[in-house]
Amino acid sequence: MMGELRALWAVVRKEWLYFVRYPSWWISLLVWPLIFPLAYIFSARALAGPDGSGLALFAQRTGIADYQGFIVIGTTFWMWQNTVLWSVGFALRGEQLRGTLESSWLTPTWRFSFLVGPSFVNMFSMVIFLIISVLNFGLILGVRFHGNPLLAMLVAIACLPSVYGMGIVFASLVINAKEAHNFVFLVRGLVMIFCGVTFPIGVLPEWMQRFAGWMPQTYMIHAMRAVSLANASFTDLIPDFVALAGFGAFWLLAGYLIFNWMERRARRTGSIGQY
Amino acid sequence: MITSMGSVSLSLSRPTLASHLRALYAIAQKDWHQFWRYPLNVVGFVIQPLAFLTPVYFMGLTFSINGQAAGFAAYSGSGDYISFILLGSLLGNYVMTVFWGMGYALKNDMDSGVLESTWLTPTPRVLLLVGRTFTNLLTTTIISLATLLLAALLFGFRPTGSALEAVLPAIPMLIGLYGFGIAFAAVVLMMRDANTLVDVSSYLVNLFSGSQFPVQSLPRFLLPIALALPLTYGYDAVRGFLLRTRTIIPIGAELAILVIFMIVMVWIGVRVFNHVERIIRARGTLGQH
């Protein structure tokens, strides 16, 4: 047990070193939370018109008057999932490309650690990302989050199993599919289109709304908007928490099972070192 | 090797206009083959703009009554926001491919380990990039047309003006853009790790030139940035001709700005490229990455 924990710690340290060795990541962490939502915020300003008359329609359809707050919460969750897909999803693939995966695989270590380690480092960087985002939104865009911060934190914690479970599933599939950039584009595209990142789900056609109900990001974004912009209480959020718990359990289990399947398959076919 | 042709002796290694044209053709052909070797990427290129267009379409519905965004019309002169944004996305494709495709053209060769050997051929080095421009323009046009077709089926596209006239501002805009791409490729070659620079700058250029919204809707303090970018007038003039939107300044003045942009950018692009190329040769960093 102690040996496994030391191995996990070594993976975390290695990933952390990679992270800090490329300082451009820090620039991304600082800049993207601010500039990414701007495209949608400016589009919303244009749609609202010079006298802001369209905002009344927006408030009527979303139940939230602060369109900037509405958009930045959606885009932040989108960026979170996007980053996890790229970093955790491509963690093993990166090892494969560098030629270190096979030798790591030969060590007497629980192989799941090679995925859990990058997830921890990503979680830490995402905490920094979320803090910077909230500061950016508050200080530069003037967005005011007036909900219960502890409840908002609870929502973020409830999102972790789904977000990282999906990342682990993705990482396991990428190791077999090799080049999988287009799958990232597909998954993040689905989140952008179906989960109400920049608009209320209610404007979608019926079939798209049903599809959105099967994606955890829909509940994450809804819950965070409700708590941060509409002063929702814990009781109001119970349906979202239940859904997120269900999705979280599903994606973590799926991640573990698919990883084990991938590992067995890679051992059988000897494809772990191929790229 | 010396070949005698009547009374004139010619060295086969001496570059001629014909050999330059052959080199250009070879470069364009190589890129063309490489592009179609990854068909899944092509599908991705077509679908990517739709993934960003669809949320804007639904966001527009949130602000509209019966599909007409009255607020948007007050800024642009047209309530058909989806045609406005779709056209911006298509032109934005060129901006993105200039930044990523052209900007990273030589860096990709560097990573694949073929740049040094290509550099040793008796071809003017700027031709290595001009050749790529042809394929890049052609492939981006194919992708943009496919995206337009798909988006028109999904959301509708209703041009009310003249497509032929819209080509008028598009030509100097694109040539100027590719001139910029040549300079940018040289800078990326020198910096080597420029992902964040390319990512952020391409996004900001597209954002502030109004690919997704009329720049008149920007906050007052950001408007000068938009007005300082020649691409803003390119987007605006193409929309003015094709969708009959209200332009920022008279369309003739926008065309003049675009022609100046084209001449200046091509000149700057070649100058910067030659200058950076000399620096890289002196440093001997061409093979390092």
Side-chain angles (χ1 to χ4, degrees):
Chain A
M1 177 68 179
M2 282 308 288
E4 290 296 347
L5 285 175
R6 274 200 305 275
L8 179 63
W9 177 240
V11 176
V12 170
R13 266 188 57 195
K14 185 248 321 167
E15 286 294 324
W16 175 251
L17 280 177
Y18 277 142
F19 182 71
V20 292
R21 277 289 182 277
Y22 295 94
S24 60
W25 274 105
W26 292 98
I27 300 169
S28 297
L29 276 182
L30 282 171
V31 171
W32 278 114
L34 178 67
I35 66 170
F36 183 71
L38 284 184
Y40 297 101
I41 288 174
F42 292 152
S43 297
R45 272 177 69 97
L47 288 160
D51 57 355
S53 55
L55 289 177
L57 287 169
F58 181 87
Q60 190 190 325
R61 284 168 181 157
T62 58
I64 291 167
D66 179 2
Y67 74 98
Q68 295 199 108
F70 184 92
I71 290 169
V72 296
I73 287 176
T75 52
T76 303
F77 273 90
W78 184 87
M79 283 190 279
W80 184 9
Q81 187 67 70
N82 182 42
T83 311
V84 169
L85 289 178
W86 282 116
S87 57
V88 179
F90 277 76
L92 293 181
R93 177 76 183 134
E95 295 278 342
Q96 198 175 35
L97 287 169
R98 286 189 289 267
T100 51
L101 188 61
E102 258 182 320
S103 42
S104 304
W105 230 243
L106 287 171
T107 58
T109 313
W110 186 44
R111 278 152 197 161
F112 205 56
S113 299
F114 295 112
L115 264 183
V116 176
S119 302
F120 281 142
V121 175
N122 183 271
M123 272 181 219
F124 179 74
S125 68
M126 282 299 107
V127 170
I128 300 172
F129 168 81
L130 289 175
I131 293 169
I132 291 170
S133 299
V134 171
L135 288 175
N136 267 341
F137 302 149
L139 296 174
I140 299 173
L141 298 177
V143 174
R144 294 284 168 264
F145 300 110
H146 38 71
N148 180 346
L150 285 177
L151 196 52
M153 220 181 290
L154 195 64
V155 171
I157 291 168
C159 299
L160 291 174
S162 301
V163 172
Y164 288 91
M166 284 177 93
I168 290 170
V169 167
F170 206 74
S172 310
L173 296 175
V174 167
I175 205 82
N176 279 300
K178 319 288 183 199
E179 282 307 317
H181 294 71
N182 282 301
F183 291 113
V184 176
F185 296 150
L186 178 72
V187 175
R188 72 182 197 180
L190 289 176
V191 174
M192 186 58 103
I193 292 168
F194 288 93
C195 300
V197 171
T198 58
F199 55 85
I201 302 284
V203 298
L204 289 172
E206 193 66 37
W207 71 269
M208 287 180 83
Q209 288 189 39
R210 277 202 298 276
F211 187 87
W214 289 99
M215 298 188 72
Q217 290 81 3
T218 306
Y219 302 94
M220 295 176 196
I221 295 169
H222 176 262
M224 192 56 93
R225 276 178 186 148
V227 69
S228 306
L229 304 171
N231 278 322
S233 66
F234 180 80
T235 323
D236 300 327
L237 298 179
I238 285 176
D240 292 311
F241 280 127
V242 170
L244 286 173
F247 280 117
F250 169 80
W251 281 108
L252 277 183
L253 186 67
Y256 185 71
L257 293 175
I258 292 174
F259 180 81
N260 281 335
W261 164 79
M262 179 280 295
E263 199 232 319
R264 277 198 306 276
R265 185 180 180 277
R267 252 190 299 169
R268 204 175 53 246
T269 57
S271 65
I272 203 87
Q274 298 167 358
Y275 61 95
Chain B
M1 182 177 151
I2 305 293
T3 309
S4 181
M5 289 176 64
S7 60
V8 185
S9 285
L10 285 176
S11 164
L12 283 181
S13 64
R14 182 178 298 162
T16 60
L17 179 66
S19 74
H20 287 343
L21 288 175
R22 277 201 303 278
L24 271 182
Y25 179 70
I27 293 162
Q29 200 185 30
K30 185 258 301 171
D31 279 356
W32 180 256
H33 280 307
Q34 223 163 34
F35 179 78
W36 291 108
R37 276 288 180 279
Y38 300 93
L40 205 60
N41 283 352
V42 181
V43 177
F45 289 141
V46 174
I47 291 177
Q48 266 288 94
L50 290 179
F52 284 93
L53 204 64
T54 312
V56 182
Y57 169 74
F58 287 115
M59 194 162 83
L61 288 185
T62 318
F63 286 90
S64 308
I65 298 173
N66 300 324
Q68 284 298 308
F72 189 85
Y75 275 124
S76 66
S78 162
D80 181 13
Y81 70 92
I82 197 67
S83 297
F84 185 98
I85 294 162
L86 178 54
L87 201 55
S89 290
L90 297 184
L91 292 171
N93 273 351
Y94 289 95
V95 177
M96 294 308 272
T97 54
V98 162
F99 272 91
W100 284 108
M102 293 292 292
Y104 264 77
L106 297 179
K107 175 76 173 79
N108 287 337
D109 280 0
M110 193 189 239
D111 290 343
S112 332
V114 295
L115 187 63
E116 264 183 316
S117 42
T118 316
W119 226 247
L120 288 171
T121 59
T123 315
R125 274 131 207 179
V126 75
L127 277 194
L128 300 176
L129 272 176
V130 174
R132 301 202 115 131
T133 308
F134 294 140
T135 318
N136 197 292
L137 254 171
L138 186 62
T139 51
T140 310
T141 304
I142 293 170
I143 287 166
S144 297
L145 288 175
T147 309
L148 176 67
L149 194 73
L150 210 57
L153 286 172
L154 289 171
F155 314 117
F157 178 61
R158 290 169 288 274
T160 46
S162 157
L164 211 62
E165 280 177 345
V167 175
L168 218 63
I171 289 173
M173 176 186 166
L174 292 181
I175 295 176
L177 197 58
Y178 278 86
F180 166 79
I182 289 173
F184 197 67
V187 174
V188 170
L189 193 63
M190 196 159 70
M191 288 180 64
R192 285 171 279 179
D193 182 25
N195 276 42
T196 306
L197 171 82
V198 176
D199 215 5
V200 172
S201 50
S202 59
Y203 187 81
L204 286 177
V205 165
N206 251 340
L207 179 76
F208 284 110
S209 36
S211 70
Q212 289 196 15
F213 50 83
V215 293
Q216 297 93 319
S217 68
L218 278 170
R220 214 166 257 281
F221 71 99
L222 291 175
L223 195 58
I225 301 175
L227 297 179
L229 292 170
L231 285 182
T232 304
Y233 305 101
Y235 280 111
D236 198 47
V238 172
R239 283 172 177 141
F241 278 124
L242 196 59
L243 305 176
R244 300 280 176 236
T245 51
R246 199 169 39 243
T247 54
I248 309 167
I249 54 174
I251 214 155
E254 292 192 329
L255 280 175
I257 290 173
L258 289 170
V259 171
I260 295 167
F261 168 67
M262 174 184 76
I263 295 166
V264 170
M265 274 331 295
V266 170
W267 183 76
I268 289 179
V270 174
R271 294 272 300 191
V272 169
F273 181 84
N274 287 332
H275 181 68
V276 171
E277 195 255 320
R278 273 197 301 277
I279 294 174
I280 290 169
R281 245 190 307 164
R283 285 185 187 167
T285 56
L286 201 63
Q288 298 169 3
H289 58 94

